[in-house]
Amino acid sequence: MKTKLVLTPFLLAFTFLLAAQNPSDTLKIGGIIIKPNQQELVEKANLGIYYQFTQKATNSGKPIIVTDTLLLAIGNSTSIFLDPYYKDNLEKTRKERISRSLKAQFIRNDYSNFEDVAELVSMKSDYKEESIGDPMQIYKDRSKGIITSIYNSFVDNFMVEQKTAEFQQWQIPEETDTVFGYSCQKAVVDYAGRNYTAWFTTEIPINDGPWEFHGLPGLILKVSDSDGNFQYLAIGLQQYGDNILIMKDKVEYEKTSLENFNKFIATEKSKYRVSFYHNGELYMPFKRNPITFHSMEME
């Protein structure tokens, strides 16, 4: 297997993170619980693929393009797809909230909407907006054909399990291309109300890919929908050693339907937390997110 790594600024930072690990340390991918006894080892990861995720959205009604870098960590039979910095950002935000709370005489959390108290913000308010990242974690059990999507934020813990027969119905026409330096074959499938085109390589014979995609005789390096709303493109690949573990949290997840799970995620994306001081009091309301995203799963 060829090994390639494109060092974008994000990947360079993550590479330094790997290099900083002592041989006896363990880097845990997935989960957000800090205490070791609340972490569950799923499997050791052998390979990590970084994808640039590009999606169309609107900002206050105006079309924009939003880009993120996401990670697929692959073990022998399972994988996890996630924002690799979400857990660190969540813990950083938690500590910042504690620090800001200690400076306040009183915490005002009786206001849920920022618009209700926006006039209280001044130059001395130390106004901050929280930007944590994507909370979704998607586990694939390739041996069982089960996809488990998890939302975990210390407070809300939801999960949905899917068996996706559609990914056994890929059509593979006689078309090839080169993606990320690998020779790839084309494949198309209808899934969740959208038509997708994927490019996979048998040079990496792993039945996996970004998000929920899988089911091909090689790793998916690029995939996009026919409407041009979404695209995943491989931008980095790194082989892992034994010190990379795929983790889950030993928490009580509320199992729900796919429809309710996606509605909850959409609601969470529609707002974000802000905080500011006024007369010695700390206000922590939610602010409406002006960015509106399309749903990948339409049905």
Side-chain angles (χ1 to χ4, degrees):
M1 181 189 300
K2 294 185 290 186
T3 301
K4 305 180 182 181
L5 179 63
V6 176
L7 291 179
T8 64
F10 173 89
L11 300 183
L12 187 60
F14 197 77
T15 300
F16 286 153
L17 176 62
L18 292 177
Q21 300 290 312
N22 295 323
S24 60
D25 289 343
T26 300
L27 181 61
K28 301 174 178 65
I29 300 175
I32 66 166
I33 301 299
I34 305 301
K35 296 179 181 179
N37 63 351
Q38 292 181 304
Q39 294 174 330
E40 174 188 0
L41 167 63
V42 177
E43 188 177 25
K44 292 180 179 179
N46 306 313
L47 189 67
I49 301 92
Y50 304 89
Y51 292 89
Q52 183 182 73
F53 176 44
T54 304
Q55 59 180 317
K56 291 181 179 179
T58 58
N59 188 338
S60 300
K62 297 181 180 179
I64 62 170
I65 300 295
V66 178
T67 301
D68 293 298
T69 302
L70 303 173
L71 169 65
L72 174 67
I74 302 176
N76 291 332
S77 62
T78 61
S79 67
I80 181 173
F81 186 66
L82 77 174
D83 177 347
Y85 278 160
Y86 174 76
K87 179 167 61 175
D88 291 337
N89 289 340
L90 191 64
E91 177 63 9
K92 178 182 176 182
T93 300
R94 184 184 71 85
K95 291 180 178 179
E96 287 179 348
R97 286 184 187 177
I98 294 174
S99 177
R100 289 171 69 78
S101 298
L102 294 175
K103 299 176 185 178
Q105 300 174 7
F106 186 74
I107 300 175
R108 299 297 301 267
N109 55 10
D110 49 341
Y111 291 96
S112 59
N113 297 319
F114 172 72
E115 288 76 12
D116 295 336
V117 291
E119 69 277 3
L120 301 180
V121 178
S122 67
M123 293 293 292
K124 299 179 180 180
S125 292
D126 191 17
Y127 174 84
K128 291 186 180 297
E129 297 182 350
E130 293 183 359
S131 178
I132 299 174
D134 191 341
M136 282 278 291
Q137 297 184 10
I138 299 175
Y139 289 85
K140 296 193 197 83
D141 187 329
R142 300 190 300 277
S143 64
K144 298 179 181 178
I146 296 177
I147 299 174
T148 304
S149 300
I150 290 174
Y151 177 94
N152 189 331
S153 66
F154 290 130
V155 178
D156 297 301
N157 304 300
F158 293 94
M159 68 178 294
V160 60
E161 291 184 345
Q162 299 170 260
K163 276 203 170 185
T164 51
E166 295 93 331
F167 289 132
Q168 306 303 317
Q169 300 171 7
W170 288 97
Q171 302 296 314
I172 305 178
E174 295 294 328
E175 294 185 45
T176 62
D177 199 355
T178 299
V179 179
F180 190 53
Y182 288 89
S183 177
C184 292
Q185 295 175 255
K186 182 179 180 180
V188 295
V189 71
D190 290 326
Y191 179 65
R194 297 186 184 276
N195 177 261
Y196 289 98
T197 297
W199 296 92
F200 69 97
T201 179
T202 55
E203 295 179 32
I204 308 178
I206 300 175
N207 167 21
D208 216 323
W211 192 52
E212 299 176 3
F213 297 108
H214 66 286
L216 290 166
L219 182 67
I220 298 172
L221 297 180
K222 180 180 178 180
V223 61
S224 57
D225 73 302
S226 58
D227 295 324
N229 289 317
F230 309 99
Q231 177 181 273
Y232 293 97
L233 176 64
I235 59 172
L237 182 152
Q238 179 156 355
Q239 290 181 319
Y240 290 148
D242 290 340
N243 65 325
I244 310 296
L245 303 181
I246 300 174
M247 306 298 295
K248 281 186 180 179
D249 297 322
K250 293 181 179 179
V251 298
E252 292 294 327
Y253 287 100
E254 179 180 337
K255 291 187 178 182
T256 186
S257 67
L258 179 62
E259 180 182 5
N260 289 337
F261 185 85
N262 287 334
K263 283 181 179 179
F264 177 80
I265 295 297
T267 299
E268 291 301 299
K269 285 185 176 181
S270 70
K271 61 185 179 181
Y272 55 88
R273 177 84 67 176
V274 303
S275 61
F276 64 92
Y277 297 100
H278 178 73
N279 290 338
E281 297 181 343
L282 178 63
Y283 290 74
M284 294 193 298
F286 284 101
K287 188 174 183 179
R288 184 183 65 83
N289 190 349
I291 299 177
T292 302
F293 298 92
H294 297 285
S295 174
M296 291 190 67
E297 295 181 287
M298 299 174 62
E299 56 182 46

